[in-house]
Amino acid sequence: MMKNVFILIVLSTVLISCSIFKCKKTDAVSKLEGNWELTYITGPRITFDGLYPNKKPTINFNMKENQVSGNNSCNSFTGKLVVNGNKIDFTGPMATTKMMCIDNGQGDQVFMNTLQKITSYDVTDNGKTLNLISGDIAMMRFTKK
């Protein structure tokens, strides 16, 4: 009888711990949900304000629809969201508008090209900062809007 009680306790503990870890994974992914505004991008020799003089790029994650959308400071974009844990993939096809971007110069292309290189993400500062990472380098930083 004691052996059966012990087995029941062990199995209950394992099941509870499994569900806790699933919740943590879901919580990490759910932190992406919502609108984010770009505050930093790596790579170009032009200053951030020079790349985006009038409008900063934004990105929106819709976890229920597995959709990513936003604005690269000139054109709107949308595509399928592919997330697995902290891994994220923007290499799938994205639909974009084709506005003429006189004021922007090359900022929109820098944004889209950098987005294609992203492999993972990290949400910090109690959900206020999103870092998009390539390998182990933070390539883009966003703040929650």
Side-chain angles (χ1 to χ4, degrees), residues 1-143:
M1 182 68 175
M2 288 300 283
K3 185 177 180 181
N4 289 340
V5 171
F6 179 73
I7 291 173
L8 184 61
I9 291 172
V10 169
L11 287 175
S12 297
T13 304
V14 169
L15 290 174
I16 289 171
S17 66
C18 288
S19 66
I20 289 171
F21 288 119
K22 286 180 185 175
C23 289
K24 285 185 180 179
K25 181 178 177 183
T26 302
D27 287 346
V29 172
S30 70
K31 288 182 182 179
L32 280 175
E33 182 78 33
N35 294 307
W36 301 86
E37 183 176 76
L38 186 71
T39 57
Y40 167 81
I41 191 165
T42 189
R45 293 186 177 183
I46 301 171
T47 66
F48 183 81
D49 290 333
L51 280 174
Y52 309 109
N54 299 318
K55 184 177 181 182
K56 293 180 185 177
T58 60
I59 195 164
N60 180 315
F61 297 98
N62 182 333
M63 305 312 290
K64 290 179 184 173
E65 301 292 326
N66 287 328
Q67 194 80 15
V68 61
S69 61
N71 187 287
N72 62 21
S73 78
C74 177
N75 287 294
S76 296
F77 64 90
T78 187
K80 182 180 177 189
L81 178 61
V82 181
V83 178
N84 186 4
N86 75 326
K87 302 296 181 196
I88 194 164
D89 183 0
F90 295 104
T91 58
M94 291 222 190
T96 61
T97 59
K98 299 289 183 187
M99 304 283 290
M100 189 167 140
C101 308
I102 296 173
D103 293 340
N104 192 20
Q106 64 184 4
D108 58 337
Q109 286 302 310
V110 169
F111 180 84
M112 296 307 288
N113 291 340
T114 305
L115 201 59
Q116 294 287 310
K117 298 174 186 174
I118 300 304
T119 57
S120 63
Y121 72 93
D122 185 29
V123 178
T124 60
D125 298 331
N126 293 323
K128 296 177 185 173
T129 302
L130 168 64
N131 295 296
L132 295 182
I133 303 163
S134 177
D136 61 350
I137 299 170
M139 303 286 284
M140 304 169 96
R141 185 177 313 119
F142 295 80
T143 56

